[in-house]
Amino acid sequence: MALPIPNLLFVAPNHYSGGFVSPEALVQVKAEGITHVIDMLPDAEHGGFDEAALAAELGLYYVHLPIQGGHDLNKANAEALDRLLADVGDTPVLVHCMSGNRVGALFALRAHWLQGLSAVEALQVGRRYGLTRMEPLVAQILGL
């Protein structure tokens, strides 16, 4: 799949992780058969683009779970992500932020807190979903 999304990763069956989604990219997301979008960008990072409105126009299931920084890497947001993914089920979903880093961070915490993986295994999950610069903070949160 060649979508114009920075750091796009195909991580697990029907799970895509990546960075900023432009209006053009969102149209292509729909064309490629991805039906669900979980947007972790805070409103200020959308650059004036109303992703929710375009997603609705395209008929995409869209949820906004803003993760601004380290203070948002908490159990409540990991639980929210877990519920959203449960709602999505086996349908194709794109989870994105600006680079994919926050996506990976929250997936790592979800893996440890809610799926019972060890801290080391959870970091590996996070890396697969795009965790980069926030890894030291996530490791600290996980007790490593």
Side-chain angles (χ1 to χ4, degrees):
M1 180 174 301
L3 293 171
I5 297 172
N7 307 317
L8 182 67
L9 301 169
F10 175 66
V11 187
N14 294 318
H15 280 191
Y16 299 84
S17 169
F20 183 76
V21 175
S22 67
E24 299 78 20
L26 195 59
V27 169
Q28 288 185 323
V29 161
K30 170 74 174 183
E32 290 288 343
I34 297 173
T35 57
H36 292 64
V37 176
I38 300 172
D39 172 14
M40 291 188 182
L41 283 177
D43 289 331
E45 291 184 28
H46 281 103
F49 164 43
D50 188 344
E51 187 172 346
L54 182 55
E57 183 182 314
L58 294 170
L60 293 167
Y61 171 93
Y62 172 90
V63 178
H64 191 214
L65 177 63
I67 305 296
Q68 187 164 356
H71 62 281
D72 290 324
L73 298 179
N74 55 52
K75 193 164 186 181
N77 282 328
E79 289 170 341
L81 175 62
D82 193 61
R83 283 190 303 274
L84 292 171
L85 292 171
D87 290 347
V88 166
D90 292 333
T91 58
V93 60
L94 169 65
V95 186
H96 80 89
C97 58
M98 186 60 77
S99 68
N101 185 41
R102 287 172 275 187
V103 173
L106 203 55
F107 267 92
L109 298 176
R110 172 182 173 257
H112 183 66
W113 288 334
L114 305 173
Q115 297 177 312
L117 273 63
S118 73
V120 171
E121 292 168 323
L123 272 181
Q124 291 171 343
V125 168
R127 288 182 198 120
R128 285 199 318 269
Y129 278 89
L131 177 63
T132 55
R133 295 177 316 281
M134 294 184 101
E135 185 170 334
L137 175 60
V138 171
Q140 180 183 6
I141 293 169
L142 294 174
L144 293 175

